[in-house]
Amino acid sequence: MSNAVKAVKEPLFHIEKRASLPAWKAWAIRGGALLVALVVSCILSGLFLGGNPFAFFSSVFSGAFGTSTRINTLLKELSLLLCVSLAVVPAFKMKFWNLGANGQILAGCIATTACMIYLNGVVPPAVLYILMFVSAILAGAIWAVIPAIFKAIWNTNESLFTLMMNYIAEGLVAFFLTLWATDGSGTLNPIKDAMLPKIGGEDFILPLIVAIVLTAAMYIYMRFTKHGYEISVVGESENTAKYVGINVKKVVIRTLIVSGALCGLVGCLLSGAINGNISTSMHDGMGFTAIMVAWLAKFNPAIMAVMAFVVIFVERGAAFASRQMGVTNSAFPSIVTGIIFFFVIACEFFIEYKLKFRSKKKGGNE
Amino acid sequence: MEKTVALEMRKVSKYFGEVIANKDVDLTVYQGEILAILGENGSGKTTLMNMIAGIYYPDEGQVFVRGEEVLIRSPHDAFAQGIGMIHQHFKLVDVFTAAQNIVLGVNDGKKYKLSDINARVQEIADKYGFHIDPKKKIYEMSVSEKQTVEIVKVLYRGADILILDEPTAVLTPQETQKLFAVLKKMKEDGKSIIIITHKLHEVLSVSDRVAVLRKGEYIGSVETKGATELSLTEMMVGRKVELNIERSEPKDVKDRLVVTGLHCKNRDGVEMLNDVSFVARSGEILGVAGIAGSGQRELLEAIAGLQHLESGEILYHDPVSEQEVNLRDKTPLQIRELGVRLSFVPEDRLGMGLVGNMDIVDNMMLRSYRKGKSFFVDRKKPQTLAETIIEELEVATPGVHTPVRRLSGGNVQKVLVGREIAASPKVLMAAYPVRGLDINSSYTIYNLLNKQKENGVAVIFVGEDLDVLIDLCDRILVIGGGRVTGVVDARTTTKEEIGLLMTKSDSIGEIKAEEQTEGAENE
């Protein structure tokens, strides 16, 4: 046979599935990936921005932790992102691809701001605070339950539906802004006297407390309750769920109420505790970043806290470092963030598989 | 007779993580022979063949084709060496004709002219005695016709080493005989045929030589002439085994489940059950035989409350309250709340009966987690149940918290059957409960079903191996094309009788008549 196969050598490498790795090794690989990513980012910063690559490295850290204000901001953003990540967990665990967390957050923002505008001074502050929370939670839940009902009854595609709901929510925010911002500027001044009280005078403490409580609660909800169990079964196999008599429609709707309610709660924190107003971009894209955090952590709330930290650390550190290097646009920090996520996600491949290279010695041939 | 080596494997190994799929396998295939590869499930038969067919790449070892070392890195390389594999699951485009499927992916630089191809296909078919219509579309074909297309596809590419992975699993006894006749003709033509199977009587009737694998290792090969079912089983399992099913006489037989006039359609509006009526009795095993996809699945799912019925009734006679309950249009939850003790081992174990990513404990509580008013789940009782089942049914698992998808097929099935029996059912339905199980696990399951029967449970057993159905059941319900084509006494019936009943539905009946006239012409 005179075809090409005859002369070929063994391929340079082939891929083999790994035996299960001990947990510490897997984490060492992940940590290593983060480190390599930072080094690559430094080299790039040296190439593109000039200057000392190691200066970039250290200013990433100082940007994240340099001053107490920076630490506070880091903790605040970390808490908010973690809350949103926890909110998307039940839906994603059920394989309901909720891409509408942004819209659900905005729904919560609208409800909170409406309370602040119309009820400030009308009801006692304590009642106002409770109403802000309750209305935000309800608004978020409603925003999430609409696609859930359509999914449950008519099996519509939830990804598209929730995504579209984001645009409607943004449109609604714009509408209310023209209604509420009477000066015609399109931006609303913070309603300082209606805001939730700042615990310890800092605005990161309330979100932090909420995040800690939610992390524990979500862990318990998903692991130890009948609801959590049903969510896992529906997510793993709808056929199994039907076979054991789980009412899949009910579970879908109930779970999205939980998911949306938590997003609404984040909206309440954003409008009521941190900004005191509302804007169309107040969600800051957290609804999408949260999905990444949840996936990277494989839906484990404790690991999600770590992942949320990594994400916020990278974003804030890279942005600060770029500013230090005299870059004013957001392109370079975005590149750095992209590189780091690429490495962190790609390293999962090396945890699952290993490359086996062609062995040097050519055995047993004539 | 002088034998030429067609294919040789030397010290071939393949690992999947910690799992050794094949270890140092040496295998020789001669020209013009039918070699049967025999082994229990998980013994590495399919993996080994996939390495010859270019699906997997061996981690160690060498492959020689006609005396020359070759590297097979893709199915394309395999075809270049004249090796073709017919997989268990067909890979055909439904809306194409037979000839279009056969020529798909052939890149020989020639112009594509359908009439020529049709003629070539017909030529190959005539040479070996296939019945094939090159212009027929795949979606109009029966399973056996599709298989024919797959085989011709491989021959069209000039393969002279053919690998067939469990080709008879989907065929009736009559179709199997036809396939074997074709294989023998190909052998006479000098082709080498490797056939993977675990049906021993087929090995004995068709092959020239048998190679046995056990736990990924090559045990040896024997001439089929001198082998018996028992000697091959011992090679396969590695020790002496008893291949007897103890069938007791039914005791205290009463009607438990009376099904009348079931009609049901699938999502596309195709009628899957057509006027199905039967009675399942306590203390008896009722077998259900039929070609795959004849409505077995719909029948069991209808009883379990998972299938919408157009018409018909399912009456359950409650042995405790002496009352009759109609199960029609009830959800599984409602059925349970009515006090109906119905257990169901579905065909799709990890897709329906169990949740693959959950551990054994969590799978135990699938049926029972709702008990009690608490918001939280109770994992204590399921844990005890899991431990009991692991001990009593000898489930090989690292622990109760191992995800069930990591267990082997037999152990998965033990977990599922164990759970369903633990609910102390009055009716136990099992669909293909031994599919993919090794011999030992299969007999464990048969014994469990027998014990349930002795305890007065009405057992409904959907099976594919007619020998087993005849040995295990008391009565056998045969369905074809969604209709009941007969109910026979398992103690007096024959495989041939069931085989004929299986194909007795209207449309297939016509094909049979056609074949008979053709046969007459040949004589």
Side-chain angles (χ1 to χ4, degrees):
Chain A
M1 282 219 149
S2 61
N3 54 45
V5 183
K6 194 184 156 191
V8 290
K9 287 195 227 152
E10 194 179 332
L12 180 61
F13 63 83
H14 65 275
I15 296 158
E16 231 183 82
K17 204 162 167 31
R18 260 185 211 279
S20 61
L21 268 185
W24 69 268
K25 262 193 185 166
W27 283 103
I29 291 180
R30 292 191 185 105
L34 186 61
L35 207 67
V36 174
L38 281 172
V39 169
V40 171
S41 311
C42 289
I43 295 169
L44 277 184
S45 82
L47 283 177
F48 291 135
L49 309 177
N52 182 356
F54 293 99
F56 182 84
F57 196 88
S58 67
S59 60
V60 166
F61 282 90
S62 94
F65 313 115
T67 65
S68 66
T69 326
R70 283 179 205 155
I71 293 177
N72 290 356
T73 315
L74 180 96
L75 283 175
K76 182 178 75 191
E77 294 191 357
L78 163 65
S79 306
L80 289 169
L81 179 62
L82 181 55
C83 287
V84 184
S85 310
L86 292 164
V88 302
V89 162
F92 272 80
K93 187 90 191 190
M94 200 174 60
K95 302 220 165 79
F96 183 105
W97 310 117
N98 176 18
L99 306 182
N102 285 344
Q104 290 145 27
I105 293 169
L106 286 181
C109 290
I110 294 173
T112 310
T113 314
C115 286
M116 287 159 70
I117 288 176
Y118 295 118
L119 299 176
N120 186 23
V122 181
V123 294
V127 178
L128 174 64
Y129 299 151
I130 292 170
L131 282 176
M132 281 160 69
F133 270 113
V134 171
S135 63
I137 286 171
L138 274 178
I142 289 169
W143 218 246
V145 88
I146 295 169
I149 290 171
F150 274 77
K151 167 85 177 178
I153 299 178
W154 295 289
N155 196 24
T156 52
N157 181 313
E158 75 276 13
S159 317
L160 287 174
F161 205 131
T162 49
L163 201 59
M164 292 304 135
M165 292 292 282
N166 288 340
Y167 299 113
I168 300 175
E170 281 179 23
L172 274 180
V173 172
F175 168 78
F176 281 114
L177 275 175
T178 58
L179 195 71
W180 290 333
T182 41
D183 59 357
S185 66
T187 51
L188 198 62
N189 289 325
I191 313 159
K192 288 229 166 74
D193 50 342
M195 280 170 73
L196 297 164
K198 287 195 188 347
I199 300 169
E202 297 287 348
D203 62 2
F204 74 94
I205 295 190
L206 182 63
L208 187 62
I209 294 171
V210 173
I212 291 169
V213 172
L214 266 189
T215 307
M218 188 52 74
Y219 183 76
I220 293 168
Y221 182 74
M222 293 307 293
R223 230 189 116 54
F224 297 112
T225 69
K226 290 177 181 172
H227 284 188
Y229 183 72
E230 285 175 344
I231 290 171
S232 307
V233 175
V234 172
E236 290 289 342
S237 159
E238 216 171 288
N239 268 335
T240 309
K242 285 182 184 148
Y243 159 80
V244 296
I246 292 175
N247 185 340
V248 175
K249 289 177 181 153
K250 191 176 114 190
V251 174
V252 167
I253 292 172
R254 186 185 67 204
T255 305
L256 262 287
I257 290 177
V258 172
S259 201
L262 296 182
C263 287
L265 176 66
V266 174
C268 179
L269 293 175
L270 280 169
S271 281
I274 293 165
N275 296 304
N277 63 357
I278 188 168
S279 73
T280 53
S281 60
M282 189 153 274
H283 54 71
D284 199 19
M286 278 192 297
F288 296 126
T289 318
I291 295 171
M292 187 175 68
V293 170
W295 269 107
L296 283 175
K298 301 197 172 78
F299 304 117
N300 179 331
I303 299 174
M304 275 162 60
V306 177
M307 286 300 167
F309 168 77
V310 170
V311 169
I312 295 293
F313 160 74
V314 167
E315 279 183 351
R316 290 195 53 77
F320 176 83
S322 307
R323 276 200 305 280
Q324 288 292 101
M325 312 293 266
V327 182
T328 45
N329 67 25
S330 65
F332 192 73
S334 298
I335 292 173
V336 171
T337 318
I339 288 170
I340 291 174
F341 292 152
F342 176 82
F343 274 86
V344 169
I345 294 167
C347 82
E348 296 296 320
F349 174 84
F350 292 95
I351 292 170
E352 283 286 314
Y353 301 96
K354 66 180 170 196
L355 297 182
K356 199 170 173 193
F357 287 90
R358 177 165 61 205
S359 52
K360 297 255 158 45
K361 54 178 195 295
K362 193 78 180 120
N365 243 348
E366 61 276 320
Chain B
M1 198 174 83
E2 203 181 321
K3 288 204 262 187
T4 326
V5 175
L7 179 113
E8 192 183 352
M9 299 179 98
R10 278 189 210 155
K11 299 259 172 229
V12 169
S13 302
K14 178 81 193 168
Y15 313 94
F16 296 108
E18 291 163 335
V19 181
I20 300 168
N22 289 122
K23 178 78 187 154
D24 293 339
V25 174
D26 297 300
L27 186 76
T28 312
V29 187
Y30 296 102
Q31 213 177 320
E33 76 163 353
I34 300 181
L35 174 72
I37 307 253
L38 193 61
E40 295 193 299
N41 270 84
S43 60
K45 296 170 297 205
T46 303
T47 309
L48 189 67
M49 290 305 112
N50 277 338
M51 283 192 280
I52 309 175
I55 310 278
Y56 293 141
Y57 185 79
D59 291 331
E60 290 157 16
Q62 297 160 285
V63 180
F64 297 84
V65 175
R66 290 171 217 92
E68 287 189 61
E69 182 173 5
V70 292
L71 285 163
I72 301 168
R73 293 162 305 178
S74 68
H76 195 81
D77 286 356
F79 274 122
Q81 295 298 334
I83 300 168
M85 181 156 171
I86 292 103
H87 294 271
Q88 228 171 334
H89 302 283
F90 304 140
K91 296 165 163 83
L92 298 167
V93 183
D94 266 354
V95 295
F96 281 10
T97 65
Q100 283 170 329
N101 266 290
I102 287 164
V103 82
L104 194 67
V106 174
N107 191 0
D108 52 5
K110 284 188 209 139
K111 222 174 167 187
Y112 173 85
K113 201 173 162 205
L114 201 54
S115 57
D116 290 356
I117 294 159
N118 286 344
R120 269 283 316 274
V121 168
Q122 197 62 55
E123 190 187 310
I124 294 173
D126 292 344
K127 187 172 172 191
Y128 299 110
F130 291 110
H131 291 287
I132 189 171
D133 175 2
K135 289 174 198 151
K136 196 169 176 183
K137 299 225 159 102
I138 300 297
Y139 65 82
E140 299 171 322
M141 291 186 173
S142 70
V143 179
S144 121
E145 286 177 284
K146 288 181 194 171
Q147 187 181 55
T148 307
V149 175
E150 287 280 9
I151 297 173
V152 175
K153 188 161 104 183
V154 168
L155 292 171
Y156 186 92
R157 279 147 221 246
D160 43 25
I161 301 171
L162 281 86
I163 307 163
L164 293 99
D165 190 356
E166 302 216 17
T168 60
V170 289
L171 302 181
T172 63
Q174 285 83 357
E175 288 167 337
T176 304
Q177 286 314 316
K178 271 187 3 193
L179 172 70
F180 286 175
V182 169
L183 292 184
K184 281 177 181 157
K185 270 196 191 162
M186 294 200 282
K187 173 182 100 175
E188 280 156 24
D189 193 42
K191 302 215 181 280
S192 310
I193 293 156
I194 307 174
I195 170 167
I196 304 180
T197 178
H198 51 225
K199 292 185 189 166
L200 293 166
H201 56 273
E202 293 179 358
V203 172
L204 292 173
S205 75
V206 74
S207 70
D208 301 308
R209 221 154 48 84
V210 190
V212 180
L213 292 181
R214 192 196 308 150
K215 291 180 179 148
E217 288 182 52
Y218 175 70
I219 299 302
S221 72
V222 290
E223 296 285 327
T224 311
K225 266 181 230 149
T228 63
E229 288 204 14
L230 205 61
S231 72
L232 290 177
T233 312
E234 280 168 19
M235 266 182 99
M236 230 160 96
V237 182
R239 57 185 158 79
K240 283 202 180 294
V241 280
E242 291 267 344
L243 295 182
N244 286 321
I245 302 174
E246 297 224 349
R247 174 165 53 189
S248 57
E249 286 300 316
K251 274 183 298 197
D252 199 15
V253 176
K254 280 194 195 114
D255 288 3
R256 180 62 54 78
L257 200 64
V258 181
V259 174
T260 36
L262 290 194
H263 281 267
C264 105
K265 287 182 177 155
N266 70 2
R267 236 179 265 159
D268 306 324
V270 178
E271 188 143 77
M272 294 310 289
L273 292 180
N274 188 348
D275 197 21
V276 171
S277 306
F278 69 91
V279 182
R281 303 190 181 118
S282 60
E284 207 184 62
I285 299 185
L286 174 70
V288 178
I291 304 169
S294 301
Q296 296 96 322
R297 179 187 174 149
E298 287 75 13
L299 178 61
L300 297 197
E301 290 190 358
I303 297 171
L306 295 165
Q307 188 66 248
H308 175 73
L309 289 175
E310 303 289 320
S311 63
E313 280 199 333
I314 303 162
L315 288 179
Y316 169 79
H317 294 257
D318 196 316
V320 185
S321 63
E322 302 279 327
Q323 276 176 339
E324 276 191 3
V325 188
N326 194 347
L327 304 186
R328 187 186 162 189
D329 291 337
K330 300 257 182 343
T331 66
L333 193 60
Q334 286 168 329
I335 290 176
R336 204 154 351 127
E337 280 164 356
L338 284 167
V340 177
R341 308 286 277 279
L342 179 75
S343 281
F344 177 24
V345 179
E347 178 181 345
D348 188 357
R349 291 163 207 159
L350 289 177
M352 186 183 247
L354 301 166
V355 179
N357 280 329
M358 286 186 171
D359 64 17
I360 301 178
V361 176
D362 276 18
N363 271 297
M364 283 301 137
M365 54 193 218
L366 268 173
R367 287 270 197 194
S368 59
Y369 77 95
R370 269 187 215 90
K371 270 187 203 143
K373 290 229 162 69
S374 164
F375 184 66
F376 296 96
V377 286
D378 170 22
R379 281 194 171 80
K380 275 204 197 98
K381 276 179 217 147
Q383 170 130 15
T384 325
L385 178 61
E387 282 160 1
T388 320
I389 287 177
I390 290 172
E391 199 186 305
E392 283 181 4
L393 302 187
E394 293 168 355
V395 180
T397 170
V400 287
H401 294 300
T402 309
V404 289
R405 82 185 140 77
R406 293 242 187 96
L407 305 181
S408 73
N411 290 308
V412 167
Q413 187 65 321
K414 284 180 191 169
V415 169
L416 176 55
V417 174
R419 185 190 72 204
E420 291 302 299
I421 289 175
S424 46
K426 297 292 174 200
V427 178
L428 172 63
M429 303 191 289
Y432 308 108
V434 300
R435 181 181 282 172
L437 267 56
D438 60 41
I439 291 180
N440 278 312
S441 307
S442 297
Y443 279 83
T444 312
I445 302 289
Y446 300 147
N447 287 335
L448 284 171
L449 295 179
N450 259 327
K451 211 181 275 171
Q452 291 298 307
K453 162 186 159 183
E454 282 160 23
N455 291 344
V457 177
V459 181
I460 301 175
F461 171 86
V462 178
E464 47 199 343
D465 191 332
L466 295 183
D467 293 295
V468 170
L469 278 165
I470 289 172
D471 284 347
L472 177 72
C473 303
D474 298 295
R475 288 181 304 139
I476 299 172
L477 175 81
V478 189
I479 52 180
R483 287 169 181 276
V484 175
T485 51
V487 180
V488 295
D489 182 346
R491 286 176 177 78
T492 56
T493 189
T494 60
K495 263 204 297 191
E496 285 66 32
E497 185 188 10
I498 299 175
L500 280 174
L501 286 171
M502 277 161 75
T503 50
K504 213 179 93 181
S505 77
D506 294 336
S507 60
I508 302 175
E510 279 165 32
I511 297 172
K512 284 238 83 80
E514 240 175 66
E515 279 166 12
Q516 272 161 6
T517 49
E518 269 177 33
E521 276 162 25
N522 287 344
E523 282 160 18

